Amino acid sequence: MTTPPNPPHTPDAAPVPAPRLTVAVLGPGGVGGLLAALLSRAGHRVLCLAGERTADTLHTTGIQVRSALYGDFTAPVAADTALREPVDACLITVKATALDDALTRIPPAALGDALLVPFLNGVEHPALLRARYAPDRVAPSVIRVESTRTAPGLIEHTSPFAEIDLTGAKVPRPRLDALADVLTAAGPVTRVLDDESAALWAKMSFLAPFALLTTRYGLPLGEARTRHRDELASLVAETAAVSRACGTPVDPAQALARYDAFPPAAKSSMQRDAEAGRPLELDAIGGALLRAADRHGVPVPVTARIVRELREAGR
């Protein structure tokens, strides 16, 4: 058998660019607006789904980002009030309090085969989404970032990082890997995790004590962790116990150390919503934690009291 000759020498080929995607973003607020702008800047077609006034603004002005990490830039985006065209992925970046109404903008028939990637607080939304859309296209994910919409189309990204954990227990792994590559190339460091529940509970275990304590007392983290140390420790221990019962062990001492390392001026998104008079994600965070505790018979007296006090205060 003869061996085919070696091909003639040619200069090194240029890297193959990542495929250009069409990505819808439901709720172009602090997180969604940042991701939309970064994806647009990376060359992808981005369609923002929002109310009519916001959609008109974004269509006209694009999204302006101010970020020490990514620089200050303006990115053009398309905008509409509902999904009316095929997309490769749809990122859900609304608050849990707005989810039911927002989902009317994404008819299941219009979504088709696209990945649905919710960046929502809490642990109960995957079941809700899988009841409405194809279960093997729902990829619940977690983002670590501090980013705020100061006005429609104006995004202030203030954290020195943006990191994404992309999951999806029923989603084919190649689809998750491909989207992770696209997101990483656009800016946020993205990794694919196999254990969806662990990823969601890892965030919940950090977020719940932080959100509940800072909102209950209206204090930034530095003051809250000092003046209400015993309550913080109890919230951390209770949340860790629930997380452990749900199959995701959490080290309470490590969690407390993370709070101590956070900038003292840090505020939870729930606290910021309270200060602005917006609806709180109390049920998605505190309520979900209490329901999980009840299912597994885990006592959480401090969590239950603080959730009750926030509800009684009209939160």
Side-chain angles (χ1 to χ4, degrees), residues 213 217 221-237 252-253 255-261 302:
L213 193 70
Y217 293 107
L221 181 58
E223 289 185 68
R225 70 191 176 203
T226 300
R227 294 167 56 179
H228 302 280
R229 185 74 178 187
D230 289 346
E231 284 176 284
L232 176 60
S234 295
L235 286 169
V236 168
L256 276 174
R258 289 179 64 196
Y259 292 121
D260 288 336
V302 175

CSV table of all heavy atoms in Angstrom, one decimal, residues 213 217 221-237 252-253 255-261 302:
chain,number,residue,atom,x,y,z
A,213,LEU,N,-30.1,38.8,55.5
A,213,LEU,CA,-29.6,39.6,56.6
A,213,LEU,C,-29.5,41.1,56.2
A,213,LEU,O,-29.9,42.0,57.0
A,213,LEU,CB,-28.2,39.1,57.1
A,213,LEU,CG,-27.8,39.7,58.4
A,213,LEU,CD1,-28.6,39.1,59.6
A,213,LEU,CD2,-26.3,39.3,58.7
A,217,TYR,N,-32.0,44.2,57.9
A,217,TYR,CA,-31.5,45.3,58.7
A,217,TYR,C,-31.1,46.6,57.9
A,217,TYR,O,-30.8,47.6,58.4
A,217,TYR,CB,-30.3,44.9,59.5
A,217,TYR,CG,-30.7,43.9,60.6
A,217,TYR,CD1,-30.4,42.5,60.4
A,217,TYR,CD2,-31.5,44.2,61.7
A,217,TYR,CE1,-30.8,41.6,61.3
A,217,TYR,CE2,-32.0,43.3,62.6
A,217,TYR,CZ,-31.6,42.0,62.4
A,217,TYR,OH,-32.0,41.1,63.3
A,221,LEU,N,-22.9,44.8,53.8
A,221,LEU,CA,-22.5,43.6,54.4
A,221,LEU,C,-21.5,43.8,55.6
A,221,LEU,O,-21.5,43.1,56.6
A,221,LEU,CB,-21.8,42.7,53.4
A,221,LEU,CG,-21.2,41.4,53.8
A,221,LEU,CD1,-22.3,40.5,54.4
A,221,LEU,CD2,-20.6,40.6,52.7
A,222,GLY,N,-20.6,44.8,55.5
A,222,GLY,CA,-19.6,45.0,56.5
A,222,GLY,C,-20.3,45.3,57.9
A,222,GLY,O,-19.8,44.7,58.9
A,223,GLU,N,-21.3,46.1,57.9
A,223,GLU,CA,-22.0,46.4,59.2
A,223,GLU,C,-22.8,45.2,59.6
A,223,GLU,O,-22.9,44.9,60.8
A,223,GLU,CB,-22.8,47.6,59.0
A,223,GLU,CG,-22.1,48.9,58.9
A,223,GLU,CD,-23.0,50.1,58.9
A,223,GLU,OE1,-23.7,50.4,59.9
A,223,GLU,OE2,-23.1,50.8,57.8
A,224,ALA,N,-23.5,44.6,58.7
A,224,ALA,CA,-24.3,43.4,59.0
A,224,ALA,C,-23.5,42.3,59.6
A,224,ALA,O,-23.9,41.7,60.6
A,224,ALA,CB,-25.1,43.0,57.8
A,225,ARG,N,-22.4,42.0,59.0
A,225,ARG,CA,-21.6,40.8,59.5
A,225,ARG,C,-21.0,41.1,60.9
A,225,ARG,O,-20.6,40.2,61.6
A,225,ARG,CB,-20.5,40.4,58.5
A,225,ARG,CG,-19.4,41.4,58.3
A,225,ARG,CD,-18.5,41.1,57.1
A,225,ARG,NE,-17.5,42.1,57.0
A,225,ARG,CZ,-16.9,42.3,55.8
A,225,ARG,NH1,-17.2,41.6,54.7
A,225,ARG,NH2,-15.9,43.3,55.7
A,226,THR,N,-20.8,42.4,61.2
A,226,THR,CA,-20.3,42.8,62.5
A,226,THR,C,-21.4,42.9,63.6
A,226,THR,O,-21.3,42.3,64.7
A,226,THR,CB,-19.5,44.1,62.4
A,226,THR,OG1,-18.5,43.9,61.5
A,226,THR,CG2,-18.9,44.5,63.7
A,227,ARG,N,-22.4,43.7,63.3
A,227,ARG,CA,-23.4,44.0,64.3
A,227,ARG,C,-24.4,42.8,64.5
A,227,ARG,O,-25.0,42.7,65.6
A,227,ARG,CB,-24.2,45.2,63.9
A,227,ARG,CG,-23.3,46.5,63.9
A,227,ARG,CD,-24.0,47.7,63.2
A,227,ARG,NE,-25.3,48.0,63.7
A,227,ARG,CZ,-26.1,49.0,63.3
A,227,ARG,NH1,-25.6,49.8,62.3
A,227,ARG,NH2,-27.2,49.2,63.8
A,228,HIS,N,-24.5,41.9,63.5
A,228,HIS,CA,-25.5,40.8,63.6
A,228,HIS,C,-24.7,39.5,63.3
A,228,HIS,O,-25.2,38.6,62.6
A,228,HIS,CB,-26.6,41.0,62.6
A,228,HIS,CG,-27.4,42.3,62.9
A,228,HIS,ND1,-28.3,42.4,63.9
A,228,HIS,CD2,-27.3,43.5,62.3
A,228,HIS,CE1,-28.8,43.7,63.9
A,228,HIS,NE2,-28.2,44.4,62.9
A,229,ARG,N,-23.6,39.4,63.9
A,229,ARG,CA,-22.7,38.2,63.6
A,229,ARG,C,-23.4,36.9,64.0
A,229,ARG,O,-23.3,35.9,63.2
A,229,ARG,CB,-21.4,38.3,64.4
A,229,ARG,CG,-20.4,37.2,64.1
A,229,ARG,CD,-19.8,37.5,62.8
A,229,ARG,NE,-18.7,36.5,62.4
A,229,ARG,CZ,-18.0,36.7,61.3
A,229,ARG,NH1,-18.2,37.7,60.5
A,229,ARG,NH2,-17.1,35.8,61.0
A,230,ASP,N,-24.0,36.8,65.1
A,230,ASP,CA,-24.7,35.6,65.6
A,230,ASP,C,-25.8,35.2,64.6
A,230,ASP,O,-25.9,34.0,64.3
A,230,ASP,CB,-25.2,35.7,67.0
A,230,ASP,CG,-24.1,35.8,68.0
A,230,ASP,OD1,-23.0,35.5,67.7
A,230,ASP,OD2,-24.5,36.2,69.2
A,231,GLU,N,-26.5,36.1,64.1
A,231,GLU,CA,-27.6,35.8,63.2
A,231,GLU,C,-27.0,35.3,61.9
A,231,GLU,O,-27.5,34.4,61.2
A,231,GLU,CB,-28.5,37.0,63.0
A,231,GLU,CG,-29.5,37.2,64.1
A,231,GLU,CD,-30.3,38.5,63.9
A,231,GLU,OE1,-29.8,39.6,64.1
A,231,GLU,OE2,-31.5,38.3,63.6
A,232,LEU,N,-25.9,36.0,61.4
A,232,LEU,CA,-25.3,35.6,60.2
A,232,LEU,C,-24.8,34.1,60.3
A,232,LEU,O,-25.0,33.3,59.4
A,232,LEU,CB,-24.1,36.5,59.8
A,232,LEU,CG,-23.3,36.1,58.6
A,232,LEU,CD1,-24.2,36.1,57.3
A,232,LEU,CD2,-22.2,37.1,58.4
A,233,ALA,N,-24.1,33.8,61.4
A,233,ALA,CA,-23.6,32.5,61.6
A,233,ALA,C,-24.8,31.5,61.6
A,233,ALA,O,-24.7,30.4,61.1
A,233,ALA,CB,-22.8,32.4,62.9
A,234,SER,N,-25.9,31.8,62.2
A,234,SER,CA,-27.1,30.9,62.3
A,234,SER,C,-27.7,30.7,60.9
A,234,SER,O,-28.0,29.6,60.5
A,234,SER,CB,-28.1,31.5,63.2
A,234,SER,OG,-27.7,31.5,64.6
A,235,LEU,N,-27.8,31.8,60.1
A,235,LEU,CA,-28.3,31.7,58.8
A,235,LEU,C,-27.4,30.8,57.9
A,235,LEU,O,-27.9,30.0,57.1
A,235,LEU,CB,-28.4,33.1,58.1
A,235,LEU,CG,-29.5,34.0,58.6
A,235,LEU,CD1,-29.4,35.4,58.1
A,235,LEU,CD2,-30.9,33.4,58.2
A,236,VAL,N,-26.1,31.0,58.0
A,236,VAL,CA,-25.1,30.2,57.3
A,236,VAL,C,-25.3,28.7,57.7
A,236,VAL,O,-25.3,27.8,56.8
A,236,VAL,CB,-23.7,30.7,57.5
A,236,VAL,CG1,-22.7,29.7,56.9
A,236,VAL,CG2,-23.5,32.0,56.8
A,237,ALA,N,-25.3,28.4,59.0
A,237,ALA,CA,-25.4,27.0,59.4
A,237,ALA,C,-26.8,26.4,58.9
A,237,ALA,O,-26.8,25.2,58.5
A,237,ALA,CB,-25.3,27.0,60.9
A,252,PRO,N,-19.9,25.6,56.5
A,252,PRO,CA,-20.3,26.8,57.1
A,252,PRO,C,-19.1,27.8,57.4
A,252,PRO,O,-19.2,29.0,57.2
A,252,PRO,CB,-21.0,26.5,58.4
A,252,PRO,CG,-21.5,25.1,58.1
A,252,PRO,CD,-20.4,24.4,57.3
A,253,ALA,N,-18.0,27.2,57.9
A,253,ALA,CA,-16.8,28.0,58.2
A,253,ALA,C,-16.3,28.7,57.0
A,253,ALA,O,-15.9,29.9,57.0
A,253,ALA,CB,-15.8,27.2,58.9
A,255,ALA,N,-18.0,29.4,54.3
A,255,ALA,CA,-19.0,30.4,53.9
A,255,ALA,C,-18.8,31.7,54.6
A,255,ALA,O,-18.8,32.8,54.1
A,255,ALA,CB,-20.4,29.9,54.0
A,256,LEU,N,-18.6,31.6,56.0
A,256,LEU,CA,-18.4,32.8,56.8
A,256,LEU,C,-17.1,33.5,56.4
A,256,LEU,O,-17.1,34.7,56.3
A,256,LEU,CB,-18.3,32.4,58.2
A,256,LEU,CG,-19.7,32.2,59.0
A,256,LEU,CD1,-19.4,31.7,60.4
A,256,LEU,CD2,-20.4,33.6,59.0
A,257,ALA,N,-16.1,32.7,56.0
A,257,ALA,CA,-14.8,33.3,55.6
A,257,ALA,C,-15.0,34.1,54.3
A,257,ALA,O,-14.4,35.2,54.1
A,257,ALA,CB,-13.8,32.3,55.4
A,258,ARG,N,-15.9,33.6,53.4
A,258,ARG,CA,-16.2,34.4,52.2
A,258,ARG,C,-16.9,35.7,52.5
A,258,ARG,O,-16.6,36.7,51.8
A,258,ARG,CB,-17.0,33.5,51.2
A,258,ARG,CG,-16.3,32.3,50.6
A,258,ARG,CD,-17.3,31.5,49.7
A,258,ARG,NE,-17.7,32.3,48.6
A,258,ARG,CZ,-18.8,31.9,47.8
A,258,ARG,NH1,-19.5,30.9,48.2
A,258,ARG,NH2,-19.1,32.7,46.8
A,259,TYR,N,-17.8,35.7,53.4
A,259,TYR,CA,-18.5,36.9,53.8
A,259,TYR,C,-17.5,37.9,54.3
A,259,TYR,O,-17.5,39.1,54.1
A,259,TYR,CB,-19.6,36.7,54.8
A,259,TYR,CG,-20.8,35.9,54.2
A,259,TYR,CD1,-21.2,34.7,54.8
A,259,TYR,CD2,-21.5,36.4,53.1
A,259,TYR,CE1,-22.3,34.0,54.3
A,259,TYR,CE2,-22.6,35.7,52.6
A,259,TYR,CZ,-22.9,34.5,53.2
A,259,TYR,OH,-24.0,33.8,52.7
A,260,ASP,N,-16.6,37.4,55.2
A,260,ASP,CA,-15.6,38.3,55.8
A,260,ASP,C,-14.6,38.9,54.8
A,260,ASP,O,-14.1,40.0,55.0
A,260,ASP,CB,-14.8,37.5,56.8
A,260,ASP,CG,-15.6,37.3,58.1
A,260,ASP,OD1,-16.6,38.0,58.3
A,260,ASP,OD2,-15.3,36.3,58.8
A,261,ALA,N,-14.4,38.2,53.6
A,261,ALA,CA,-13.5,38.7,52.6
A,261,ALA,C,-14.1,39.6,51.7
A,261,ALA,O,-13.4,40.3,50.9
A,261,ALA,CB,-12.9,37.5,51.8
A,302,VAL,N,-34.0,30.6,62.6
A,302,VAL,CA,-33.6,32.0,62.4
A,302,VAL,C,-34.0,32.4,60.9
A,302,VAL,O,-34.5,33.5,60.7
A,302,VAL,CB,-32.1,32.2,62.5
A,302,VAL,CG1,-31.6,33.6,62.2
A,302,VAL,CG2,-31.7,31.9,64.0
